[in-house]
Amino acid sequence: MMKYYLMAPGPSMVPERVLLEMANPIIHHRTYEFEKVLAKVRGQLKNIFQTKNEVVLHASVGSGAMEAAITNCFSPEDKILVIRSGKFGERWSEQAVKYKLNVLNLDIEWGHAVKVSDVKKILEKEKDIRGVLCQACETSTGTQHPVEELGALVKGYPNTILLIDAITSLGINNLPVDKWNLDIVVTGSQKALMLPPGLSMMSVSGKALATMEMAALPRYYFDIREELKAVSKNQTHFTPAISLIQGLSVSLDMIEEEG
């Protein structure tokens, strides 16, 4: 019998333990049974994000979490700096333009990491930048950006937040969200977390949450404030990806066992 291997950057192979868990009968998301699963997953996600803050779950791919980060954190015409060194840096920019943000692009040769000194020069010149958007690892090239140094830099600007796409980084590379002062970090289920596509996660710092209170872009399904209210009660605002969250509880168990 031929064994099937998926050798792609994502989706990645889903372990048998995870598949078996997701094959269980569906449960209702407004039951104590699901609340127990979500409570467990909430704690495990905080561990893998290395944060004390809440991690929000959405039934979407990672690009949905990227869009949610933009709509929750900014207002029309806000100026943002997007670091572009590949296809997914360009995606940050494309989404921001759709929402009428004032986008400054810092274009880096593909395969090369951004120089923090270049970001600093722009922040010193453009005093009204509200956000810096970057990949932890640019999927299209595998390039890792100096996220720790970017976090230390942006921390010094009280009106600017740092948004990090960690879809191909979280669970693979060390990414201590709180220690590195990362305000928004998004990831998806289909890479290091060993799940099918369809579940996104986002950590939210106190600084980012304060920014959300002032943001004026429209948001409904992706309203992070509403999700935070719900998750404090071990619930989700809308119907969640129940089977994926059940599978996530097992994949996170496996990660913790591996260390």
Side-chain angles (χ1 to χ4, degrees):
M1 180 178 176
M2 185 177 292
K3 190 167 184 178
Y4 176 79
Y5 290 96
L6 179 61
M7 306 289 285
S12 59
M13 289 282 287
V14 179
E16 186 174 318
R17 278 174 62 183
V18 177
L19 290 171
L20 289 171
E21 179 65 25
M22 292 191 298
N24 281 320
I26 194 77
I27 61 176
H28 197 275
H29 60 290
R30 302 300 185 205
T31 61
Y32 178 63
E33 186 179 3
F34 179 74
E35 288 179 7
K36 288 194 298 182
V37 175
L38 187 58
K40 174 176 177 285
V41 166
R42 285 173 62 200
Q44 290 176 307
L45 284 173
K46 288 180 181 180
N47 288 337
I48 199 168
F49 275 80
Q50 300 181 62
T51 182
K52 295 179 181 178
N53 298 308
E54 199 60 65
V55 178
V56 172
L57 293 159
H58 268 117
S60 79
V61 294
S63 294
M66 293 170 71
E67 183 166 337
I70 289 172
T71 58
N72 278 266
C73 292
F74 302 114
S75 299
E77 302 302 326
D78 273 355
K79 186 181 292 184
I80 63 169
L81 174 64
V82 178
I83 297 167
R84 304 197 307 182
S85 65
K87 178 62 180 175
F88 293 91
E90 292 174 358
R91 183 163 296 179
W92 271 132
S93 183
E94 290 164 357
Q95 290 181 335
V97 167
K98 290 284 187 182
Y99 283 100
K100 310 299 184 184
L101 299 186
N102 182 358
V103 181
L104 300 180
N105 294 314
L106 175 55
D107 288 317
I108 313 297
E109 183 181 354
W110 284 38
H112 293 261
V114 68
K115 294 180 180 178
V116 178
S117 58
D118 291 340
V119 178
K120 184 178 181 180
K121 288 176 185 176
I122 295 172
L123 291 176
E124 289 176 346
K125 180 182 178 183
E126 306 284 346
K127 302 294 185 182
D128 54 347
I129 288 178
R130 297 301 304 276
V132 177
L133 289 70
C134 186
Q135 274 60 46
C137 174
E138 171 54 61
T139 306
S140 57
T141 65
T143 301
Q144 295 184 51
H145 289 291
V147 175
E148 181 179 6
E149 291 83 356
L150 287 172
L153 173 65
V154 176
K155 180 185 177 183
Y157 293 82
N159 297 318
T160 307
I161 58 172
L162 178 61
L163 290 73
I164 296 295
D165 162 12
I167 293 170
T168 50
S169 185
L170 193 94
I172 300 168
N173 301 316
N174 186 38
L175 199 72
V177 168
D178 289 356
K179 183 179 179 181
W180 288 1
N181 304 293
L182 311 181
D183 297 305
I184 295 283
V185 175
V186 302
T187 196
S189 55
Q190 75 275 17
K191 297 187 186 290
L193 298 182
M194 302 179 289
L195 289 165
L199 190 63
S200 66
M201 289 135 272
M202 177 194 300
S203 65
V204 183
S205 74
K207 187 179 179 183
L209 188 57
T211 299
M212 290 179 184
E213 294 299 330
M214 299 182 293
L217 281 174
R219 44 199 149 148
Y220 183 73
Y221 176 71
F222 284 123
D223 193 329
I224 301 303
R225 297 167 302 174
E226 295 299 327
E227 286 296 341
L228 290 172
K229 290 177 189 176
V231 81
S232 67
K233 303 173 185 176
N234 286 319
Q235 288 284 341
T236 56
H237 191 209
F238 297 103
T239 304
I242 298 167
S243 297
L244 287 174
I245 293 174
Q246 289 176 292
L248 179 62
S249 71
V250 174
S251 69
L252 292 174
D253 284 343
M254 296 175 68
I255 291 171
E256 290 175 358
E257 291 164 11
E258 182 74 19

